[in-house]
Amino acid sequence: MPTLTLLQAINDGLKTSMREDDSVLLFGEDVGKKGGVFLVSEGIQAEFGKERCFDSPLSEDGIIGTAIGMAMNGLRPIAEIQFQDFIFPAFDQIVSEAAKLRYRSGGQYTAPMVIRTPYGGGIRGGLYHSQSGEAYFCHTPGLKVVVPSTPHDAKGLLIASIQDPDPVLFLEPKALYRAVKGEVPEGSYTVDLTSLRVVREGEGVTVFCYGAMVPVCEAAAKEAEKNGIDCHIVDLRTLYPLDEEGVIEAAKRTGRVVVVHEAPRFCGYGGEISAMIAESAIEYMEAPIRRVTGFDTPFPNTLEHHYLPDKRRVLDAVEFVHNY
Amino acid sequence: MPTLTLLQAINDGLKTSMREDDSVLLFGEDVGKKGGVFLVSEGIQAEFGKERCFDSPLSEDGIIGTAIGMAMNGLRPIAEIQFQDFIFPAFDQIVSEAAKLRYRSGGQYTAPMVIRTPYGGGIRGGLYHSQSGEAYFCHTPGLKVVVPSTPHDAKGLLIASIQDPDPVLFLEPKALYRAVKGEVPEGSYTVDLTSLRVVREGEGVTVFCYGAMVPVCEAAAKEAEKNGIDCHIVDLRTLYPLDEEGVIEAAKRTGRVVVVHEAPRFCGYGGEISAMIAESAIEYMEAPIRRVTGFDTPFPNTLEHHYLPDKRRVLDAVEFVHNY
Amino acid sequence: MSTTEPLTVIEPDGGVNGYDPGLTEDELLHCYRSMLAVRLFDELCLKLQRSGRIGFSIPNEGIEATQVGAASALRKSDWIFPSYRDFGMALYHGVSPVEMMHNMFGNAADSAKGRQMPVHFSFVEPIRFYSISSPIGTHIPQAVGAAYAAKLRGEDTVMLASFGDGGTSSLGFHSGLNFAAVWKAPVVFLCQNNGYAISCTVEEQTASDGFAIKAQAYGMPGVVVDGNDLFAVRKVVSEAVERARTGGGPTLVEAKTFRMGGHSTSDDPRSYVPAELFESWRAKDPIPRFEKYLAGAGLLTSDTRANLEKEVRAEIQDAARQAEATAKPGLETIFSDVYATLPEHLRRQGQEAFDLAARKGDAAAGGGEFPL
Amino acid sequence: MSTTEPLTVIEPDGGVNGYDPGLTEDELLHCYRSMLAVRLFDELCLKLQRSGRIGFSIPNEGIEATQVGAASALRKSDWIFPSYRDFGMALYHGVSPVEMMHNMFGNAADSAKGRQMPVHFSFVEPIRFYSISSPIGTHIPQAVGAAYAAKLRGEDTVMLASFGDGGTSSLGFHSGLNFAAVWKAPVVFLCQNNGYAISCTVEEQTASDGFAIKAQAYGMPGVVVDGNDLFAVRKVVSEAVERARTGGGPTLVEAKTFRMGGHSTSDDPRSYVPAELFESWRAKDPIPRFEKYLAGAGLLTSDTRANLEKEVRAEIQDAARQAEATAKPGLETIFSDVYATLPEHLRRQGQEAFDLAARKGDAAAGGGEFPL
Ligand SMILES: Cc1ncc(C[n+]2csc(CCOP(=O)(O)OP(=O)(O)O)c2C)c(N)n1
Ligand SMILES: Cc1ncc(C[n+]2csc(CCOP(=O)(O)OP(=O)(O)O)c2C)c(N)n1
Ligand SMILES: [Mg+2]
Ligand SMILES: [Mg+2]
């Protein structure tokens, strides 16, 4: 099996899907000639031609709006939003249209499409090249939201998303694009769109995380181990719909829970995880449920390393709930 | 003190502010000649003229974008979005701009403005005239989010929002526009923008709610009382920033908590309330924290009465946590 | 290319100056019948709404020729991306009044399963009449994407995207027309300038000289047509459809017409539409105008007209009766169609809803078991 | 009204055909100095970025005349709503290089307190140079709102909103121009057509015949100008500013120019810009072109030019040195300016951040107390 970076695995997933299925196409700003600002789509226009991989005008509303139209008429569009921070001009098309089309038409019209977009901090991008907007989309019935953290998952989840009959928001942790490597099977395979990944088994503290926070939590768990704390790390990876039973089970396993994400805390995704546990497994909890998240502020630039949850902050929370 | 409906109280609040301060103006779709589709702004154009109360072209992006510009240049605009469901074309202007302007400019530019919009179900509006989108905005640092449930609060919170130096989303429970009445002081007064309202004191179960769910919870509490359950109802009313200590205290008071809102549950506002308690007061909890919410689907039409939390559903949850 | 004087074909005396609509007598009468059906459907809906039997409806009086003229330029293999004031297009293409009435009553037979407000229709047969959405303008880029798909596969399908004067200010108008022109997508954009967006006048909506001129911003032809003239609309839209079908790309058509009713049954236009405007436009009513042509062509007498009206009225009344008698959608329809397959959390929530309904003694609970 | 042939003033030989810029000698030299400063600021930023001392920068080579020509048409009481490729306008109006460098280094003296990426400037003195936002086009309707406020108060302030060819596809372009025309707001819209939106060509961006023509869709004048010609830009923008100032409403100006560098320091344009294009545009470099005029007018010799360059370069290098030596923003700046007053939850989170920094031995913690 070849060893690929996360970025290469996504490129591989795109090409694999496009080879497999003629109706798959990729478009967005700068994805063609340039191969995307991160070069995720390098080589795709060359292999599949300008009709299946092309640059769009600078309008996210147009990108998602036309993708919905393509999807309802037999194509399987993959629409790239250059940075997740720039998805908001398309918010109406995503939330009012893609998410609700099947429902409002009684299944007569559907929007099987993938919206791929890099999200998250760690590249000194400041307010507008760093955000993690998953909570906005996970509050939107009709959408699926996926965040890979390994090259294997990135390819398998991407192919599953492309094949899925419903609109999927595929959030790519840009901090990991070139930072993680892993074995990736050749050819086509899928990873189930409602499934958790146990990163590490443990009996002491359950840590829920996803995307670029997974390696941070792993590093924290290694530290914790030195102090005799045995972390159970769950990569949530398919944020919506979520394997809720899997979450509850993992929480019950240790009775001590930490939830980690980059986005602001208030009304963030972590709140849902805590709430779910407080609703279904509170009597198993032996400590407060702690969240380690970005602060409730816009995303800063120079001080981003203080803003982003790091090993130390995760470790603090793990120790807190462990020693409670 | 005159007795007004919620709608009249808002109209009164608008006029009071506009009389007090020349820089306050109101615009949006159909707010002028027609006085708004719900007639909230009736008589305002007549009193204040077309320069301070006028109809805009059909673009929410334009309404909020221009309001931000007015606000940074000395006006105090009140921008009406006809239905909260139609706020999404302006999502980028709200989330990327209004919310982040003070921060990104180091305070050099600011956007003191109010976005007023009717939200929520109960008028047979189907998918697009019924939604409760508060969670999207409460996950956006830099915004304030306010939801009145009484005429008194509606006027006082509205005036406070208009005077506030930061952008405020003012969500009006349209189901209550003409359904609630109450005494409203004449002239100008404000209600603090980070404050809870205790609707009813009780020792048995704490119920958190806001907007149109407040009377539903009151009705449920009355029922519960018959069965000897004494509810403590808190109207959250200023959803963001929230008086978190007040919430924690109210939760500790009974150790039994129910959170109620119309919006879908997953990643909804209620999740934050549960999470906050699970983080800061879990050892006081004597029962699971229950959420009574809209279902995780788009908003239906014919069956909306099954979708919206009602007295029966709230009562069920109250009984459940009480008897746990 | 862009015109500012609206094209007119049918003269006040019913003459057409040699214009050949290319329609058989039956087809001409079908156009007429469709316009009449819109008018009568509307009339009945207003009554149903006023008597509380349906919740809402949207009047179309005055706009019938635009709807039917445009629809008549399409093949059954083309797609319609309608606004909420366009159901005449569906009627013309053979959607039956009863299917529409199911939607007005939001019942179990409604193709939208009672999830949408009335007049938010969705059909796939006999023509694709795309699911109407309340948010204005969102369907415009969607039509462009659907057109791109057709073009990519080498099909000769054309998409008609229809919207109002207010719709031109929407985001979807800007992105949709821009993408369509860059992609040379087979789309016809039909702007129905009916004078108002709810209470907003055209002058408050835009400072441009009409709407067809907006085509210039996108590099496509823009044409203005008398929207109360069935033949003029048919002619202009047919030309635009032909251009699209043969690879010539998109066109923006502005049909100048007037909304003779309120915006909806919740709206009273008297607070903002001057009475004179109603009067002057009443004189241009598209139905009598087309009647004159038909009468002149020997296709309509006052007898045949009266019979036709009776027949259509009966059909629509019967449709309403059927729809009103049809059961409400099953409780499980709250939870279906959110996704292609029901996720676990919706199964749980669905069961909760059934349990609650059962405890309340609500018939919606059926046997109490969530059936999905 | 809309033109498609760009207006040019400065001829290849430096002649101006009797055009009178209405500027004193000092002012002419100030224009020149400003263009030079942009070029040299850019040059240094590129070096700083390549050596890892700043994270990012945006090249302006080729666009200097558009920036400075447009800025020269404004009064200090006017407002600039810039794109990220416009800092020449700030330099022209007297923002000092060191203030800009503080932003490039994101330090404590940066007016944005190190929260934004480099080149996302914000100034209120000596002219309002509005806080640059990354999302494209959002500032366009904001400029219109600010203009409305000025107009309502009877002030004669004009707003200049600047954006790229790509920016014309944004939502803000559509809503901004539409609202401005309906309100007759005192705004000048400056579209800098520099050939590319990152890698997207103008033909992939729009099918219209240039960008000025888009003015027609909004009912405002549209003018095209040679963007590498300082005087031509000054002339056209001055006329538009005058129109706005005297109640004539908005204008769309398209300046045709070319981006001689990459989109940013993260971009390599060789993968998508044909080499010939760079060559042909190099010949139209706005700086030598203006030098020819100045030399012809007896205002510049190779000696004075060399001295000026040395002086400006030194100033900029000094600015960078100062900025690099300035401390990073205090840890509390993560939490301030979210709201006018610090809410309780941010106080708590701020204290957590200080506690953590203290435990890590990070100097950012200071005395460990959250100071706000
Ligand atoms: C995005 C959005 N904003 C506001 C509304 C509320 N609204 C419904 S119809 C309408 C006016 C539409 O006018 P026009 O496009 O001219 O169509 P007409 O009703 O005249 O046929 C408005 C403002 C909406 N449906 N969607
Ligand atoms: C809404 C939005 N989408 C995408 C981007 C990413 N992006 C940054 S600059 C740019 C191209 C802008 O091109 P143009 O408007 O021509 O300005 P230029 O860079 O040529 O000066 C893009 C796509 C963005 N900043 N904002
Ligand atoms: Mg209209
Ligand atoms: Mg450009």
Side-chain angles (χ1 to χ4, degrees), chain B residues 29-34 37 45 50 55-59 61-62 82 85-86 88-90 124-129 265-266 290 294-307 310 312-313 316 319, chain C residues 105-107 114-118 120 132-136 166-167 169-171 197-201 204-205 266-268 271-272 328-331 333-335 338 345-346 349 352-353 356-357 359-360 362 364:
Chain B
E29 294 153 15
D30 305 295
V31 302
K33 302 178 283 301
K34 188 175 162 70
V37 294
Q45 190 176 73
K50 279 197 170 177
D55 297 336
S56 77
L58 207 167
S59 167
D61 178 73
Q82 199 161 84
D85 312 70
F86 304 139
F88 301 123
R124 278 287 177 90
L127 284 87
Y128 300 113
H129 295 79
R265 173 173 320 181
F266 203 91
R290 281 289 286 266
F295 298 118
D296 284 313
T297 74
F299 201 103
N301 189 44
T302 306
L303 300 175
E304 77 164 331
H305 53 295
H306 288 279
Y307 181 89
D310 61 3
R312 181 73 244 168
R313 266 164 82 189
D316 274 357
E319 288 174 346
Chain C
F105 283 90
N107 66 26
R115 293 170 184 145
Q116 292 247 61
M117 284 177 80
H120 287 64
I132 294 170
S133 178
S134 305
I136 298 283
S169 295
S170 72
L171 310 186
I198 309 187
S199 69
C200 183
T201 63
E204 289 164 326
Q205 194 66 245
S266 323
D267 176 49
D268 178 2
S271 71
Y272 58 83
K328 296 287 164 239
L331 188 49
T333 61
I334 292 182
F335 304 94
V338 182
H345 69 289
L346 289 185
Q349 295 182 14
E352 278 169 32
L356 182 68
R359 293 181 39 219
K360 287 195 213 165
D362 189 321

Side-chain angles (χ1 to χ4, degrees), chain A residues 30 33-34 302 310 312 316, chain D residues 106 199 204 267 359-360:
Chain A
D30 306 294
K33 301 178 286 298
K34 187 175 162 69
T302 305
D310 61 4
R312 182 72 245 170
D316 275 358
Chain D
S199 68
E204 288 164 327
D267 176 48
R359 292 181 41 220
K360 285 194 213 164

